Every structure is written in C-alpha cells, then in structure tokens.
Amino acid sequence: MSAITLADFLAKQNTETQLARLLVEVAESCKIIADTVQRGPFLGVMGQAGNTNVQGEEQKKLDIITNDILIEHMQDTGLLAGMASEEMDHHYAIPADKDKGDFLLVFDPLDGSSNVDVNIAVGTIVSVLAAPKKDSIADEDFLQKGSEQLAAVYCTYGASTILLFTTGQGSHEFVLEKDSNEFMLMVENIQLPADTKEFAINASNQRHWQAPVKNYIADCIAGEEGPLHKNYNMRWVASMVAELYRVMCRGGIFMYPRDHKDLSKVGKLRLLYEANPMGFIIEQSGGVASTGYKRIMDIQPEGLHQRVGVIMGSKNEVATALSYHQNFNEDGSTK
Ligand code: AHM
Ligand code: MG
C-alpha cells in the first residue's frame, strides 16, 4: 500500500481547494461512523429505533445516529449551504449562525442498515452538488441530474473501512489505516473488468420482475447450454455498498430493477443518494449505470426520495442485460 493520504492525493489531482476540503471532511465523518458502527454493540445502539422514515421503512438506531454524525460534523465546515438525506423528509438548512459554503450534500448515512445487526458490511453514500445559492435553500435545489454531480463518495464498513470517490477524474480507493487513522491510497484509477460471470439480484422478487429481467436472468441461469454460453455465479448481500465493492474489485452486474411489486414505486433504490453517486463511481471506473432503459445520470429528478430501477456494473454484461430491454417500454409493456 502507498503512503499517500486522501488529502495528499486530492492535492496531487489539483482538486479545487474547497471541494478537496469538503471531501476530506466527508472522510472525517466516515471515520466517526466507522468507529460507531464497530463499537455499536458496546454503545447500545444496535436494533430498531421504533419509528419509520419518510419512505415508510423501519429505521435502525444507527440510521439516525449516523445521520446525526454527518449533519453535526458537516454543518461546522463552512462549506455547505444544505444537506438532504434518506433519513430526513426534507432538506436540512445550515443554521443562520454558521458559515455557509458553495456545496450541497445528499447522502444515505448507512446503506444496507438492515444488515447491521448481523455483521454484514454497511456503508455511507454521499453525492456532492453545487449550491445555486448560499441562503434560502429549498428541496428543489437538490433536484439536479447525476451528470451534474461534482463528486461522489462511498465508504464501506466491513473487515476494513474502505472509501472510494470520484470528482470525474477516475475513481480511486483508499483504506483506513488504523494506527495513523488516515485513509491511504490503495488503488488509483480503478478499472472494472468489462466482462463477468457474476450477477447480483434479489431472486425472491422474481415473480414481480418485468419480462426483460426475467428473460435475462433465466438465460444467466441456463449457463453454458443457454444463449449466453457461460456459467454464472449469483451473489446477494442485500447491502448495495458491499455488493458494488465486490463489483469494483472483480467485476459483476448488480441489479435492483424496476418491478411490478408495488406500482407506486419504480424500483427500490433512491436516485439522488444511492443510484446517482454509485453510478458516477461505476461510470468513472469504466462501468455502466442504467435503469434498463436509460442512463441513470441523465434522469431529471422530481423528488428528493425518488426511486429508480438500477442495473450497473461491468460494461459488456450490462450491455447484454440492456439488450433484453430494447423491445420494451419502461413500464415493462412490449413496444
Ligand atoms: P437501505 O438504504 O434502507 O439500506 O436500502 C437499500 C438496500 C441496498 O443496500 C440493497 O441493495 C437493498 O436495499 C436490499 O434490498 P432487499 O432487502 O430487498 O434485498
Ligand atoms: Mg440505502
């Protein structure tokens, strides 16, 4: 491993000074979250919080605690005009007595948190946007396309604490080195393998899938004897950050597609703080991020908690999956 810290690396990349400062502060928040998640059982912060978030999902105590860590740490940096999160109905405006800055932050403070009690890797996902103004920020100011993101960061808390980020100049991986408590460069310019034999999807939803996904997965399972002529492995961790880290390391295709399970929801994952930042990092690693029908980062968001179908990963495999969608409309009907 190199001896290059995140701050050194950002300087070497000539990252704009304020953005570099912001990314270092996000990484500082992730260090606090890593420590809190690891010491969770001793801190008495495991289990359900006993309430639901705006999306009707049961909140874990750690969902709320990690959201508070990000808010409290980041609001004091003077770099932000506002924040929005999976765990808050509306955006959080930086209080009047604090310095404001030129950025907005949108995050999922603890992705995969349903797994936190069973010691499976969870993570923090952050999207950085330009603030159109410093004061009187509204929810609408966050409704920017993924292609307008200034940076995306995600940090997974597993056997190691690993942080990946992009500012549009490739994606890069850092590991938290315990003795120095610094994120040290592990991989510069991650390149995702273009081909794969590994798919990840929650197969218990099979009966709800649209026809193109049903057909593609059936052909994957058919193996060498089927039309795709290769034997696939399947993986499902139910933690997107862990899933996509595996994809970043050895390739793969990750799918949480739009389905017919609940017609009021076009997919499970959220556009602004899950699909867009992960899509930005995947694309910057040579991969593809699509809904099946269009590039995720081209979608004009209409709501803070908007959901979207997600198919992302190795370029050639995603292209194969997308080819199954060609003759279908976004609602799954045939053209
Ligand atoms: P969360 O943000 O509430 O944790 O939900 C997102 C997670 C993803 O990490 C994961 O891919 C998916 O939900 C798993 O869903 P399921 O439990 O339906 O398999
Ligand atoms: Mg999430």
Side-chain angles (χ1 to χ4, degrees):
M1 190 169 40
S2 79
I4 302 173
T5 66
L6 179 62
D8 292 343
F9 184 79
L10 289 163
K12 192 184 107 187
Q13 267 208 330
N14 288 323
T15 309
E16 190 272 321
T17 317
Q18 298 300 302
L19 183 58
R21 278 188 55 211
L22 180 70
L23 295 175
V24 167
E25 294 298 348
V26 168
E28 289 303 311
S29 308
C30 292
K31 288 180 192 173
I32 304 170
I33 294 175
D35 188 56
T36 308
V37 168
Q38 200 164 36
R39 292 192 301 127
F42 300 104
L43 300 174
V45 297
M46 308 306 278
Q48 304 293 117
N51 40 322
T52 53
N53 66 13
V54 62
Q55 355 233 348
E57 296 162 345
E58 292 276 338
Q59 283 178 310
K60 296 273 182 187
K61 288 179 191 163
L62 275 170
D63 285 323
I64 298 167
I65 291 165
T66 54
N67 193 65
D68 290 349
I69 289 170
L70 274 158
I71 297 278
E72 277 163 28
H73 186 84
M74 297 307 300
Q75 71 176 350
D76 286 330
T77 61
L79 294 163
L80 296 176
M83 294 180 252
S85 150
E86 174 172 334
E87 306 305 336
M88 302 185 293
D89 299 8
H90 296 287
H91 77 281
Y92 177 85
I94 304 299
D97 62 335
K98 296 195 188 286
D99 290 338
K100 316 268 182 346
D102 296 323
F103 302 104
L104 300 175
L105 223 55
V106 200
F107 46 82
D108 178 352
L110 202 61
D111 182 62
S113 58
S114 67
N115 286 310
V116 80
D117 294 332
V118 291
N119 204 27
I120 284 174
V122 289
T124 300
I125 310 173
V126 179
S127 170
V128 182
L129 303 169
K133 50 193 184 297
K134 286 192 180 179
D135 293 299
S136 312
I137 288 293
D139 282 358
E140 289 66 37
D141 294 319
F142 293 82
L143 305 184
Q144 303 182 31
K145 287 184 185 171
S147 56
E148 292 171 42
Q149 292 173 101
L150 300 177
V153 184
Y154 86 92
C155 188
T156 64
Y157 315 112
S160 304
T161 296
I162 290 185
L163 181 142
L164 290 88
F165 86 95
T166 185
T167 56
Q169 298 180 69
S171 59
H172 316 286
E173 178 179 340
F174 291 74
V175 64
L176 185 61
E177 200 280 308
K178 278 267 181 188
D179 292 336
S180 60
N181 199 32
E182 287 281 0
F183 280 106
M184 308 304 281
L185 179 64
M186 194 151 78
V187 186
E188 182 171 356
N189 275 320
I190 300 167
Q191 286 303 315
L192 228 124
D195 293 293
T196 181
K197 293 179 175 176
E198 207 158 67
F199 68 87
I201 193 164
N202 182 343
S204 71
N205 290 324
Q206 185 173 14
R207 69 193 183 286
H208 306 297
W209 292 340
Q210 294 181 337
V213 173
K214 273 188 182 158
N215 297 339
Y216 167 64
I217 296 296
D219 288 351
C220 291
I221 291 170
E224 269 176 0
E225 295 79 24
L228 298 177
H229 305 296
K230 52 181 170 179
N231 293 326
Y232 284 78
N233 278 326
M234 195 201 82
R235 294 286 182 271
W236 188 249
V237 187
S239 173
M240 181 172 60
V241 283
E243 220 91 62
L244 284 174
Y245 184 65
R246 185 188 61 246
V247 169
M248 299 294 283
C249 292
R250 63 181 192 214
I253 181 168
F254 168 82
M255 307 175 77
Y256 213 119
R258 177 172 175 166
D259 61 27
H260 301 303
K261 191 175 185 177
D262 177 346
L263 294 178
S264 69
K265 294 177 183 165
V266 288
K268 173 172 184 188
L269 300 174
R270 277 57 52 112
L271 177 60
L272 285 182
Y273 42 82
E274 291 175 326
N276 271 342
M278 296 309 249
F280 193 13
I281 291 172
I282 288 280
E283 282 196 9
Q284 285 291 316
S285 311
V288 176
S290 171
T291 65
Y293 304 94
K294 59 165 85 108
R295 181 181 179 229
I296 286 173
M297 291 211 293
D298 283 340
I299 298 171
Q300 175 58 56
E302 288 167 4
L304 274 186
H305 303 287
Q306 179 173 339
R307 294 173 192 263
V308 68
V310 168
I311 299 178
M312 52 173 85
S314 291
K315 188 173 149 197
N316 294 342
E317 193 62 37
V318 174
T320 301
L322 299 191
S323 70
Y324 284 72
H325 290 74
Q326 271 169 7
N327 298 324
F328 291 86
N329 299 306
E330 288 194 32
D331 65 0
S333 59
T334 42
K335 276 186 179 162

